Amino acid sequence: MKFSESWLREIIDIDLSSEELSAKLTMIGHEVDSFEIDGGGLEGILIAQIVSYEKHPNADRLSLCQVTTDGKNRISIVCGAPNVKQGMKSILALPGKMLPNGLKLEKSEIRGIESFGMLCSASEVSLGLDSDGIMELPQEAKIGSSLLSYLNLPDHVIDIDLTPNRGDCFSVLGVARDLAATSSQDIKYKFNIKNNITATVEQSIKTAFPDLCPRFSAQAIVNINNESTTPIWMTEKLRKSGIRSINPVVDVTNFVMIELGQPLHAYDLSKINGTIIPRFANEDEQLVLLDETKVELKKNTIVITDDSGPIGMAGIMGGLSTAVSSKTSSVLFEAAYWPPKFMAGVARRYGMHTDASLRFERGVDPEIQKIAINRACELLLLICGGDAGKITDIKNEDHLPKGSTIKLTARRLERILGHEIHYQEVSEILKRLHLKIRENKDSWVVEVPSYRFDLEIEDDLIEEIARIYGFDKIPEHTEVSSRSLFPLDSGLANIEKIANHLCSKEYQEVITYSFIDDSINTLITGKQSKLRLSNPLSSEMSTMRGSIWPGLLNAASRNIARQIDRVRLFEIGKVFEETNHSHNEIEQVAGLITGPSRDKHWSKKSKNVDFFDIKGDLESLLMISSSEMEYEFVPDDNIALQQGQSAKLLLNGKQIGSVGKLHPTLGKRFSIKRDVYLFKLEIVKAFPSILLNVKPISKYPLIRRDISVIVEKDIKASDIIKSIKLIEPEIIQSVKVFDIFEGNNIEEGLKSIALGLILQEKSRTLTDQVADDIISKVIISLEKKFSAKLRE
């Protein structure tokens, strides 16, 4: 929320310096993001009038202007602005002046003509972004006077970061109310505005669905002067609030919104056909908005309609068909109350975010609509004249928020704050917050005003008292407690070990969003998820993720696009799996690698990672639980991975994870044109809590025996290894595959597997005879189970 300090001080004359005011706002819960001077460095810039101008003799796009600051003397200025005209009043910087943008002016010669200063655009003096022409001032501006004095500069622009529950402070009035609670000063605002009704015009309005629109206020003003311009005092207030002036009608609606917090919309009354009715949109309806964007309306969107169909999206943006223009002479102002439950997230579903939707999502005072209409009418009549019709104010009391009553006890207040605040001081704070109170012996019964819809329970009032009383005045207490120490949860220990191990393997940890694009989630998991957000930030973040891989792939894609050649990423987080009645949250670790297997080095030739690189990383990760666990890799047909280069990981016959190469079609979806390898593990299943079985290390030497067997091509090496270990488990310590060969001298459909057997006893030194006998048993067993033949 951005506004000027001078505007705030018009509503509350608080006895604080600018710096103290900024600090006070932060201390009462409205953190000041920025506090910037507006109009600094404009000393010596004057208001001047263009007496005459002519085309520059040596340049097509330049004008030679004669300007005056006293009505007598002429100053020759060469100007390139397209909006130069005779009699126009603008701002003049003379030679020697340093502009806010750092440009120091000197008398100069431009295409053979001397120029004795510069007529400035708004951007050149830091009073806006407009740089298409010189800044035009109203005719009542006095020539020769200082620009600073005319615009009441310098000023400060305050930008506060409001918490989501304080929708009432999205207005200068709301901020002033909060400041008033910290001082003896009250706000100065005229709520009882009465405009003369001089026209019989009245727009027909019907709220057929009162739950959608509990209150709808409107007023028509006819015979306005559409050649009028917005006064400088209003355009300046809007500019400092970050809003560009458009025309008097639109400027009035924006001004009232910033001042009171109630968004308004202005219709060209002559373009409305029949009765106005708010309702939900139909499935096949479309609307062209003010910015000329055509939207396909969704069923849960409230629209304003007339006999021609939708003419605006309620609380978001009006339609182009009834928009006001420079030719508009009759206007209908509308101020409605749209319940937050109907407004939450609607604008974002259309990829939009407007000042109006921001306020309606957080809540608007349901009692301020008529006041806002009166204020808008007052301002428009002041600027453009015209005749005002009767106000239409439809209230559906049954659907408007009911005023709440909260009981606050002194005991609860002291227990929560850890500090006693005098009873009378609490009463004064509540009164200064414009809360009606009934005092009891040790408690207060508080009636909450309509604009403080954030106050619902006793602790809300305690928070109000604490921030107005001053958090800095509440003494600090150190809590002392005695608690028993409990064993660290094994799952937490495993997560830390997993992260440390992967970091040691040169992986980098990332944290990605738990909600992702629904189509991507389906492509990765192969399932259409029902876990969709009812109020997503955008369509790309609409579904609770069923896999961590999309986040890793997005991160990898961004790194690759930034010329990062070697990418190794991992994330530990939750994925979400739907059940019959709810959902499960599963803790997983997932990883990704792509690019060279190691950094470039002169001593070794670089190669790109392959399936066995990530499989090796995964096997080393699994070792942190226990080397005794019997993990098994078996071929998999995971939809996200390339067939033939993917495997699922089993523990005791149950799947605990997957590993493999990303499917090329998915790679294209993420704009990745290289091989990418991924893994995922369910942490609870992959790293169970087990008691370690400690074994003494044998002091006797080991013996290695290598054999090579020929088996059918589809027999897995893991099955052969498992079979060998069962023959003499006390002696055969490990079995390693060191070569697999197909081709010359091997029949088609067969393959050769070379195995290294490590033999060792704990109580004696093995003889060659014992080792040879074990190898004979191994060969006989492999012949029986796999029809294996010893390769000579």
Side-chain angles (χ1 to χ4, degrees):
M1 167 76 183
K2 186 184 287 188
F3 54 90
S4 67
E5 180 185 352
S6 60
W7 195 355
L8 180 63
R9 289 187 184 273
E10 286 177 14
I11 299 179
I12 179 169
D13 186 15
I14 192 166
D15 187 21
L16 294 172
S17 67
S18 297
E19 290 71 22
E20 290 170 338
L21 175 62
S22 175
K24 176 66 72 176
L25 286 169
T26 296
M27 288 306 296
I28 62 174
H30 307 314
E31 182 181 358
V32 176
D33 274 349
S34 64
F35 188 75
E36 299 175 351
I37 192 167
D38 181 70
L42 299 182
E43 296 81 3
I45 293 182
L46 304 175
I47 298 175
Q49 186 171 30
I50 300 173
V51 179
S52 65
Y53 75 98
E54 59 185 12
K55 183 180 176 183
H56 192 293
N58 303 319
D60 291 337
R61 296 186 179 181
L62 297 179
S63 300
L64 179 57
C65 304
Q66 297 298 318
V67 306
T68 182
T69 58
D70 59 8
K72 298 177 183 178
N73 298 308
R74 303 289 187 267
I75 303 171
S76 182
I77 304 288
V78 176
C79 180
N83 62 331
V84 169
K85 59 187 176 183
Q86 187 173 346
M88 176 181 180
K89 290 185 178 180
S90 187
I91 50 179
L92 173 66
L94 295 171
K97 172 62 188 170
M98 178 79 77
L99 295 180
N101 61 10
L103 175 65
K104 185 175 182 180
L105 297 180
E106 301 288 350
K107 184 178 73 171
S108 60
E109 187 175 296
I110 302 175
R111 296 290 183 94
I113 302 292
E114 283 191 315
S115 181
F116 296 89
M118 178 179 176
L119 293 170
C120 303
S121 67
S123 64
E124 288 166 333
V125 290
S126 299
L127 294 181
L129 300 176
D130 190 1
S131 59
D132 293 335
I134 58 175
M135 188 173 178
E136 184 172 4
L137 298 177
Q139 283 301 307
E140 62 265 23
K142 184 180 178 181
I143 61 173
S145 61
S146 155
L147 180 65
L148 289 177
S149 61
Y150 178 68
L151 296 180
N152 294 317
L153 298 174
D155 196 357
H156 285 98
V157 174
I158 305 170
D159 191 0
I160 59 176
D161 187 10
L162 292 169
T163 53
N165 65 317
R166 291 308 304 272
D168 62 302
C169 285
F170 274 99
S171 66
V172 182
L173 176 62
V175 176
R177 277 179 173 142
D178 252 22
L179 280 172
T182 68
S183 70
S184 59
Q185 297 295 322
D186 206 349
I187 58 173
K188 300 177 293 182
Y189 195 84
K190 181 183 175 184
F191 289 97
N192 297 320
I193 301 170
K194 292 184 178 179
N195 298 305
N196 292 328
I197 306 302
T198 57
T200 58
V201 62
E202 187 175 2
Q203 172 62 40
S204 173
I205 299 167
K206 183 180 178 182
T207 55
F209 307 95
D211 57 328
L212 304 186
C213 183
R215 188 166 190 183
F216 196 104
S217 299
Q219 185 174 24
I221 301 98
V222 296
N223 303 323
I224 67 171
N225 180 5
N226 52 31
E227 294 183 359
S228 299
T229 57
T230 307
I232 195 74
W233 61 265
M234 181 178 287
T235 60
E236 277 294 281
K237 282 184 168 69
L238 293 175
R239 178 184 65 79
K240 293 169 189 175
S241 298
I243 298 175
R244 182 173 61 89
S245 175
I246 298 174
N247 61 52
V249 177
V250 176
D251 291 348
V252 163
T253 62
N254 285 329
F255 183 90
V256 174
M257 178 182 67
I258 300 296
E259 185 180 56
L260 297 179
Q262 170 66 49
L264 290 90
H265 185 64
Y267 303 88
D268 188 321
L269 185 63
S270 66
K271 298 177 181 178
I272 297 175
N273 298 312
T275 302
I276 286 180
I277 301 176
R279 61 167 170 80
F280 274 132
N282 296 323
E283 185 72 37
D284 57 346
E285 287 185 309
Q286 297 179 336
L287 175 64
V288 180
L289 299 172
L290 287 173
D291 60 2
E292 301 184 8
T293 301
K294 181 185 282 189
V295 294
E296 302 283 341
L297 294 170
K298 299 176 174 61
K299 279 188 174 182
N300 60 350
T301 304
I302 304 175
V303 291
I304 312 294
T305 69
D306 65 6
D307 291 352
S308 66
I311 58 174
M313 293 173 69
I316 300 173
M317 188 180 290
L320 187 63
S321 64
T322 55
V324 296
S325 67
S326 59
K327 297 180 180 179
T328 297
S329 60
S330 58
V331 173
L332 178 71
F333 282 132
E334 166 244 301
Y337 174 75
W338 308 108
K341 65 179 180 181
F342 292 120
M343 299 305 300
V346 176
R348 289 193 294 275
R349 291 187 198 116
Y350 292 91
M352 299 167 64
H353 179 78
T354 64
D355 288 325
S357 67
L358 174 71
R359 286 164 173 79
F360 282 120
E361 285 181 355
R362 286 158 176 75
V364 169
D365 182 3
E367 294 297 326
I368 206 170
Q369 286 70 37
K370 188 175 180 180
I371 296 170
I373 289 290
N374 269 320
R375 177 60 166 154
C377 180
E378 177 188 49
L379 291 170
L380 190 63
L381 292 175
L382 177 67
I383 299 168
C384 300
D387 298 295
K390 182 183 175 182
I391 290 181
T392 300
D393 186 26
I394 301 173
K395 294 177 69 175
N396 299 289
E397 298 285 357
D398 292 342
H399 297 281
L400 283 170
K402 303 295 187 293
S404 59
T405 301
I406 306 171
K407 183 178 180 180
L408 170 65
T409 64
R411 181 180 178 185
R412 174 76 176 174
L413 177 65
E414 183 177 352
R415 188 166 75 85
I416 295 297
L417 297 184
H419 176 64
E420 182 181 3
I421 303 176
H422 193 273
Y423 183 92
Q424 193 57 42
E425 188 168 3
V426 173
S427 297
E428 286 299 317
I429 290 173
L430 293 173
K431 290 175 183 177
R432 293 204 303 270
L433 283 164
H434 298 90
L435 306 175
K436 294 181 180 179
I437 64 170
R438 187 171 73 250
E439 297 177 331
N440 298 320
K441 183 179 179 182
D442 294 313
S443 64
W444 301 263
V445 177
V446 180
E447 290 183 30
V448 179
S450 60
Y451 58 85
R452 288 306 306 270
F453 32 80
D454 59 307
L455 302 181
E456 297 179 344
I457 61 175
E458 186 177 10
D459 285 1
D460 291 335
L461 292 177
I462 294 173
E463 180 185 356
E464 290 296 290
I465 292 165
R467 69 185 185 87
I468 301 301
Y469 177 76
F471 292 109
D472 56 327
K473 292 165 64 176
I474 299 175
E476 181 180 333
H477 295 283
T478 302
E479 288 292 333
V480 178
S481 65
S482 58
R483 297 186 63 186
S484 302
L485 294 176
F486 297 97
L488 179 65
D489 180 72
S490 60
L492 295 176
N494 277 335
I495 288 173
E496 187 173 347
K497 286 181 182 178
I498 291 166
N500 288 338
H501 181 84
L502 289 172
C503 287
S504 73
K505 290 284 186 179
E506 299 183 274
Y507 285 76
Q508 292 182 310
E509 185 172 12
V510 298
I511 299 174
T512 63
Y513 286 110
S514 295
F515 23 90
I516 61 175
D517 183 273
D518 185 57
S519 60
I520 292 292
N521 189 70
T522 303
L523 284 174
I524 295 287
T525 64
K527 301 176 184 176
Q528 184 72 43
S529 176
K530 295 180 181 178
L531 302 178
R532 304 195 67 182
L533 303 182
S534 58
N535 184 21
L537 292 171
S538 68
S539 60
E540 288 77 23
M541 307 175 83
S542 61
T543 303
M544 301 306 295
R545 67 184 181 188
S547 172
I548 298 177
W549 285 351
L552 293 178
L553 289 165
N554 275 322
S557 178
R558 287 194 294 271
N559 276 275
I560 292 168
R562 287 160 178 77
Q563 312 304 316
I564 305 299
D565 197 30
R566 187 168 182 262
V567 180
R568 302 172 79 84
L569 305 172
F570 80 93
E571 180 175 359
I572 298 172
K574 291 180 178 178
V575 297
F576 303 86
E577 182 182 81
E578 58 192 88
T579 62
N580 290 334
H581 303 292
S582 182
H583 71 278
N584 289 330
E585 298 182 14
I586 303 167
E587 195 89 32
Q588 283 191 356
V589 55
L592 174 151
I593 62 172
T594 185
S597 60
R598 64 177 71 242
D599 285 328
K600 288 184 179 179
H601 193 269
W602 60 270
S603 65
K604 290 188 178 179
K605 199 171 183 179
S606 179
K607 73 174 187 71
N608 286 332
V609 293
D610 57 24
F611 176 84
F612 297 102
D613 286 305
I614 198 164
K615 181 173 179 284
D617 289 342
L618 193 53
E619 288 175 326
S620 70
L621 177 61
L622 293 168
M623 292 290 287
I624 69 173
S625 180
S626 171
S627 60
E628 301 297 316
M629 305 293 286
E630 292 292 336
Y631 299 101
E632 182 181 4
F633 290 89
V634 298
D636 192 14
D637 56 356
N638 191 305
I639 191 172
L641 303 176
Q642 186 170 332
Q643 198 166 15
Q645 292 206 53
S646 65
K648 55 187 174 183
L649 184 59
L650 305 181
L651 177 61
N652 299 326
K654 294 182 179 180
Q655 184 172 352
I656 60 172
S658 300
V659 61
K661 180 182 177 182
L662 180 69
H663 199 286
T665 56
L666 271 174
K668 291 179 182 178
R669 181 68 183 264
F670 288 93
S671 301
I672 300 175
K673 299 178 181 178
R674 58 165 75 169
D675 292 344
V676 174
Y677 297 87
L678 300 149
F679 76 79
K680 64 179 179 181
L681 289 173
E682 288 189 32
I683 291 176
V684 173
K685 292 180 180 179
F687 304 95
S689 299
I690 60 171
L691 291 173
L692 296 180
N693 184 16
V694 180
K695 299 178 182 177
I697 297 174
S698 176
K699 62 182 179 180
Y700 299 101
L702 57 82
I703 295 176
R704 173 169 176 144
R705 288 285 191 270
D706 292 345
I707 61 172
S708 181
V709 293
I710 298 174
V711 295
E712 292 182 5
K713 192 175 180 179
D714 59 352
I715 292 176
K716 293 183 290 185
S718 59
D719 291 339
I720 294 175
I721 292 171
K722 191 185 298 183
S723 174
I724 293 174
K725 285 184 176 180
L726 294 174
I727 295 172
E728 289 283 354
E730 294 299 320
I731 298 178
I732 302 174
Q733 302 298 321
S734 67
V735 182
K736 302 291 182 182
V737 176
F738 64 87
D739 185 43
I740 296 179
F741 178 74
E742 298 177 38
N744 294 337
N745 301 322
I746 304 295
E747 291 182 29
E748 188 175 349
L750 302 178
K751 64 182 176 182
S752 167
I753 300 179
L755 303 162
L757 284 69
I758 305 298
L759 312 177
Q760 188 180 40
E761 258 277 22
K762 293 183 177 65
S763 59
R764 59 175 175 152
T765 299
L766 289 176
T767 63
D768 288 338
Q769 184 60 49
V770 172
D772 291 341
D773 290 344
I774 291 173
I775 295 300
S776 296
K777 290 181 182 179
V778 168
I779 294 170
I780 292 170
S781 175
L782 294 180
E783 286 177 349
K784 288 181 179 179
K785 289 185 177 181
F786 303 105
S787 299
K789 295 181 180 178
L790 189 65
R791 184 182 179 189
E792 298 296 334

